Amino acid sequence: MSFPGLLNYWVALILLVCGLIIVMDSRNLVKKLVGLGIFQSAVFLVFITLGKKSDGSAPILDASVSVYSNPLPHVLILTAIVVGVATTAVGLALVARIRRAYGTIDEDEIDDRPEVEPEIVP
Amino acid sequence: MINVVADVGLLCLLLTVALAIVCTRSPLSLVLLSGIYSIALCTLFVILDAVDVAFTEAAVGAGISAILFFAVIRPEDEPVTAFSWPSSRAILLGLGVGVLLLAGTLDMPMYGDHLAPAHQHLALRFLGQSFEEIGIPNVVTSVLASYRGYDTLGEVVVIFTAGVAVLILQPDNKKGPAKPGDRDRFAPELMGNPVLKTVLLRMIPLVVLFGLYVQFHGDYGPGGGFQAGVILGAGVITYGLLSSATRLKRIISDKWVTLGMALGVLVYGLVGVAGLFLGANFLDYSVLGPTQTAGQHLGILLIELGVGLTVSCTMVSLYYCFKQGES
C-alpha cells in the first residue's frame, strides 16, 4: 500500500501554489476569484484525502459493509463548499460594482482611470 | 487497484486544468475551465468515498458558480492575447511556499492508512454509535445536522449574510415595475432552439423533483439540505436563463425569495429553541418526539428544511441581483 502514498497531498500542494500564483499575479479581478476558488479546492482535496480508508466505503451505514471512510472531513468540506460559493458571489458583486464605478475590471486600468460614475455605497 | 488508477488519472487532469487556468487570460475560457476543474474534482471525491461532498461540488462548482461568473463577465473583457506566463516573481514566491508545504506533508499519513490519527476517537464513535443515537444510516447527515448542529447553524447564517451582502451591493436601479422589453441578452434567439425549449418544458420539472428527493432522502443516501438547495436553485435559475429574469420574477417575486432566505435561518433557530423549551440543550432534538430517535428524525427533517430553504432562496436571490446589475 505504498502507492499512491503522499501523491494526493503533493498534487493538492501544486494546486494550492497555482491558486496562489493566480491571486498574486493576475490583474483581472474575475481571474483572481477563479484563483481563490482553486486555492480553496486544494484545501478540500487535502481534507477528503485524510478521510479516505483503503477498501473503505462511503459512510452510509449498511449491513453488508464493514469498513467506512471517515465522515468528519466530509461534513466540514460539504458546508465549506456551499459557503465558498456564497463568498465568491460577494466577491463577484464587488467586481460588478467596481465595473459600474470604473468601467473596467482590470486593476492596471483602474489605477489609471478616474471614476466614471461616482457612487456612494449606502 | 482501479481506484488508484482513477485517482492518479483525475489528479493529472486537475493539474492540467489548473495550469491552463494559470496561463489563460480570457474570462470566458477561465469560467469554462473552472467548470471542467469542478467536474474532475467531484469525480475524485466519489473515488475518495466522499459522496455527499461530490454531490455538493457538482451542483455548486459546475452549476451555480458558472452561472454567477457568466453574469459578471462581458465580451469586451476578452484580451487581445489569450495566453501569458505568470511573472517570475510570482512563480518564485509560489515555489517558496510550495517547498515549505512539501516539508510539511512528509510526515502525513499515507493514502488510505487505517491507523491515521484522523480515523481514531471521534470518527470511530460516530460510525459505531450514531445509528443507535440518531437512527439514520447516513453518518454524514447525522454529524452535520445533529452532532455538529451548532456549526451547521453558523454555516447557514454565513450563507444568509452573504446573500444580504450581495443585496446591499447591488446597484440601486430605479424602482418600479419591469418594462416588458427588458434587456435579455440571449433569450429571444434561444427560444427558437428545440433543444433548449425541451429543456425548459421537460427538464426543469425533473430537476426540481430531483432536488426535493435529495432534500428528503438525505437521511438515507447522499444528499441533504445544502445539496438540495443548490439543485433547486439551479433548476429555478435555468428557467430564468432560458426565458427571462423578468418572467421568472413574475412566478417567484424577489420579495418572496428574500423572505425565504431569512425564513430558513429562522426555522433552524426555532428548532433549537424548541429543544430549550422542552427542557434539553439548544439544538438537542431528542426531546422533540416520543422516543430519542423519533425526536432526532423530526429535528433533522426540520433543520434540513431550513437549510434547503435558505440555500435555494439565496442562490435565486444572487441570480436576481446579478441580472439586475447587468441591465
Side-chain angles (χ1 to χ4, degrees), chain A residues 44-115:
Chain A
F44 299 164
L45 184 56
V46 169
F47 268 72
I48 298 298
T49 305
L50 268 175
K52 169 75 180 167
K53 274 189 192 172
S54 50
D55 305 317
S57 162
I60 296 171
L61 302 174
D62 190 89
S64 61
V65 181
S66 57
V67 182
Y68 299 100
S69 286
N70 191 343
L72 271 179
H74 300 183
V75 177
L76 298 177
I77 298 311
L78 192 162
T79 48
I81 291 176
V82 183
V83 170
V85 74
T87 46
T88 305
V90 177
L92 281 171
L94 285 169
V95 172
R97 195 68 186 219
I98 288 170
R99 188 204 290 284
R100 266 176 84 87
Y102 292 91
T104 178
I105 53 168
D106 189 285
E107 284 184 328
D108 292 327
E109 290 175 33
I110 292 172
D111 288 344
D112 301 341
R113 263 181 225 192
E115 284 193 40

Side-chain angles (χ1 to χ4, degrees), chain B residues 112-195:
Chain B
D113 187 356
H114 285 225
L115 297 174
H119 300 316
Q120 318 305 323
H121 313 296
L122 261 184
L124 287 180
R125 187 186 179 281
F126 286 145
L127 286 169
Q129 291 175 36
S130 74
F131 195 74
E132 238 171 78
E133 290 174 349
I134 313 287
I136 60 175
N138 188 348
V139 186
V140 175
T141 304
S142 299
V143 178
L144 179 113
S146 191
Y147 291 112
R148 293 183 60 94
Y150 270 112
D151 190 53
T152 310
L153 177 61
E155 312 271 5
V156 176
V157 173
V158 170
I159 293 165
F160 172 72
T161 313
V164 172
V166 175
L167 274 173
I168 294 172
L169 280 170
Q170 74 167 327
D172 225 2
N173 282 9
K174 283 169 196 71
K175 295 279 184 239
K179 286 151 267 142
D182 248 359
R183 186 172 157 217
D184 275 304
R185 282 190 300 169
F186 300 115
E189 59 270 25
L190 284 185
M191 282 330 292
N193 186 323
V195 175

Side-chain angles (χ1 to χ4, degrees), chain B residues 178-255:
Chain B
K179 286 151 267 142
D182 248 359
R183 186 172 157 217
D184 275 304
R185 282 190 300 169
F186 300 115
E189 59 270 25
L190 284 185
M191 282 330 292
N193 186 323
V195 175
L196 294 174
K197 216 167 177 178
T198 311
V199 171
L200 183 65
L201 295 173
R202 307 237 153 76
M203 289 285 288
I204 291 176
L206 287 179
V207 172
V208 172
L209 190 66
F210 181 62
L212 290 174
Y213 165 78
V214 172
Q215 170 83 46
F216 293 109
H217 197 258
D219 300 3
Y220 303 97
F226 285 99
Q227 295 94 323
V230 178
I231 293 171
L232 280 172
V236 172
I237 293 171
T238 313
Y239 182 86
L241 287 176
L242 290 179
S243 59
S244 78
T246 326
R247 282 183 67 179
L248 181 60
K249 269 188 196 173
R250 246 178 270 149
I251 304 170
I252 309 173
S253 87
D254 36 0
K255 268 190 199 130

